[in-house]
Amino acid sequence: MTNSLDETRFSKPLIYMLIGSAFILALSLGVRHGFGLYLVPMSHEFNWNHQVFSLAIAMQNLLWGAVQPFTGALADKYGSKIVVAVGGVLYTIGLLLMSVSSEAWLLDLSAGLIIGMALSATSFSVLLSAVGRAAHPSKRGMAMGIASAAGSFGQFIMLPTTLLLIKNVGWSSALVISAILIALIIPLAWMLKAPMYSAPAAISKITQPALSFKQILKIALSHKPFLFLALGFFVCGFQVVFLGIHLPGYLVDHGFDASNGTIFLALVGLFNIIGTYTAGILGDKFSKPHLLMWLYGLRGIAIVTFLMLPLSVWTIYSFGIVMGLLWLSTVPLTNGIVANMFGVKYLTMLSGIVFFTHQVGSFFGGWLGGLNHDLTGNYNVIWACSIVLSLFGVFVHFFVNEETIVDD
């Protein structure tokens, strides 16, 4: 009876970790999602074309993904709190340097290199893996969904706040204020102390010999469903970064105010709270690969509908609500599949590998969006790519399953 009751509850250390993770993700992702609002003012002030800023953000996403498996391996070995604290320091330094970036190379260094590395330590892969290790398997999806939703709440709060700061104190001062907020991540990292969940001795399986990182990596990369899962995450990265960085500019091109793009992204953040939390709960009850197929298919339908309807404030905000429900709902489901396949001991590193493909998609979504705009004055090619990739996302998840390959 006691074990059954424990399974329905979150332990006090896990609740403490969830609170810390929630605040860290809200700050880290809230500030990060506001970067698209700096594209127009910085480009105008320094006479840059859109590709300059887009390339820096694309580099950020690519480096974030490339470093993520190594950051994950460090978190698996030394603990999440130290890795997150170091990430908070780097994030603060990157924002301060970005606030004085009057040259393209300095923007690439600050917004691209430094913040990219910082995000690998202060975002989903490290924090959700820490939460996943501490949660009971039957509640793992819900716990990850709660933590994911917190990042969305940060987006909802920080986007209008960032726009107000840019309008009232300028883009440079807005970045300095953001750096001060991000510095709070450093003390918050010490809340990530919940121990890894372990089954009671009476029902535990026979412990298998520990595998080296090289061995677990070899097993993962030879497992085709894992590779298809990674390919599917490429689609997510391409779509969310294209929309996050370029939709405000797309709306300005069509005669709308910058505030319309901000409200769109804020609505995405608000409704993503519902989407990620719901995805976490559904992932504990239904097939996660099938849920991912539905998510990518619905994204494609939403994009097609948005482009076919006359552009108005109501269609923009409705699109924001629908995309919010689908935005990062992929994250708890994808991380949950990795946990089911390989257990939680190596979850941070393996989630980081899957996340790398997400960030490759993010690189192309961010950079090609700016390149397409500079060459043609519109985003038509990238819209078409987003639709085709939705179909691809549905297709690859036909080949993903949750079969356990390595036990905890």
Side-chain angles (χ1 to χ4, degrees):
M1 180 66 70
T2 302
N3 290 341
S4 177
L5 183 62
D6 288 343
E7 290 178 10
T8 66
R9 295 177 175 175
F10 288 157
S11 66
K12 287 184 179 179
L14 176 57
I15 292 172
Y16 192 65
M17 174 179 278
L18 278 173
I19 294 171
S21 298
F23 279 108
I24 292 168
L25 284 169
L27 288 167
S28 177
L29 298 180
V31 169
R32 179 253 177 181
H33 279 297
F35 285 151
L37 301 177
Y38 293 96
L39 186 152
V40 173
M42 291 186 73
S43 297
H44 283 176
E45 180 163 338
F46 301 117
N47 198 30
W48 294 336
N49 59 31
H50 282 200
Q51 188 181 179
V52 172
F53 189 90
S54 298
L55 181 60
I57 300 301
M59 286 176 57
Q60 175 192 109
N61 284 285
L62 187 61
L63 284 165
W64 177 2
V67 174
Q68 190 69 75
F70 302 101
T71 307
L74 290 172
D76 285 335
K77 186 172 183 179
Y78 298 108
S80 300
K81 64 181 182 180
I82 295 175
V83 171
V84 172
V86 172
V89 173
L90 287 174
Y91 206 153
T92 303
I93 293 171
L95 287 168
L96 292 173
L97 282 176
M98 187 178 172
S99 72
V100 294
S101 294
S102 57
E103 301 288 340
W105 70 268
L106 189 53
L107 185 68
D108 290 340
L109 174 65
S110 58
L113 176 63
I114 298 176
I115 295 179
M117 291 192 296
L119 283 166
S120 76
T122 59
S123 57
F124 286 124
S125 291
V126 171
L127 289 157
L128 292 193
S129 297
V131 169
R133 279 194 294 267
H136 187 280
S138 68
K139 296 296 179 183
R140 190 174 287 154
M142 180 186 292
M144 288 182 173
I146 291 171
S148 299
S152 302
F153 184 73
Q155 179 179 345
F156 173 66
I157 295 297
M158 287 303 300
L159 277 162
T161 302
T162 300
L163 181 63
L164 286 173
L165 287 172
I166 291 173
K167 287 187 173 181
N168 288 285
V169 301
W171 64 266
S172 182
S173 296
L175 285 167
V176 173
I177 294 170
S178 296
I180 294 171
L181 291 173
I182 286 296
L184 295 173
I185 289 177
I186 302 168
L188 286 170
W190 263 254
M191 296 179 73
L192 308 177
K193 297 187 294 184
M196 184 172 74
Y197 172 82
S198 58
I203 61 172
S204 294
K205 296 180 180 179
I206 297 173
T207 303
Q208 295 183 350
L211 298 172
S212 68
F213 286 120
K214 184 176 181 180
Q215 288 173 318
I216 194 69
L217 185 61
K218 183 178 180 180
I219 292 171
L221 294 181
S222 64
H223 186 51
K224 290 183 179 179
F226 178 80
L227 299 179
F228 282 119
L229 181 68
L231 283 175
F233 225 20
F234 174 94
V235 178
C236 182
F238 186 99
Q239 292 174 334
V240 299
V241 170
F242 165 59
L243 291 173
I245 297 299
H246 295 290
L247 193 81
Y250 171 81
L251 297 178
V252 170
D253 288 347
H254 286 79
F256 290 88
D257 187 78
S259 61
N260 296 121
T262 303
I263 294 172
F264 166 85
L265 292 174
L267 286 170
V268 167
L270 178 62
F271 282 88
N272 193 39
I273 297 171
I274 301 171
T276 50
Y277 179 70
T278 303
I281 293 176
L282 292 176
D284 286 333
K285 298 179 179 180
F286 303 103
S287 165
K288 295 179 186 68
H290 290 170
L291 290 171
L292 286 168
M293 288 167 61
W294 275 102
L295 283 171
Y296 286 115
L298 290 171
R299 276 193 193 180
I301 293 170
I303 293 170
V304 170
T305 303
F306 174 67
L307 295 175
M308 290 181 65
L309 292 173
L311 196 60
S312 69
V313 170
W314 299 111
T315 58
I316 293 166
Y317 297 164
S318 296
F319 185 50
I321 291 170
V322 173
M323 288 304 298
L325 294 171
L326 308 171
W327 193 251
L328 292 179
S329 302
T330 58
V331 175
L333 296 174
T334 301
N335 280 16
I337 291 173
V338 176
N340 288 346
M341 285 178 174
F342 301 103
V344 297
K345 185 174 182 180
Y346 308 99
L347 180 58
T348 317
M349 181 185 71
L350 294 177
S351 293
I353 293 170
V354 174
F355 188 71
F356 174 64
T357 62
H358 181 284
Q359 295 308 97
V360 173
S362 298
F363 173 84
F364 285 110
W367 175 56
L368 291 179
L371 179 62
N372 182 205
H373 187 275
D374 288 340
L375 293 176
T376 65
N378 59 57
Y379 293 102
N380 293 346
V381 173
I382 307 303
W383 281 119
C385 288
S386 295
I387 295 166
V388 172
L389 284 173
S390 287
L391 297 174
F392 178 74
V394 174
F395 173 75
V396 295
H397 285 95
F398 271 115
F399 305 100
V400 176
N401 59 57
E402 301 181 70
E403 178 187 358
T404 300
I405 303 302
V406 177
D407 288 329
D408 291 341

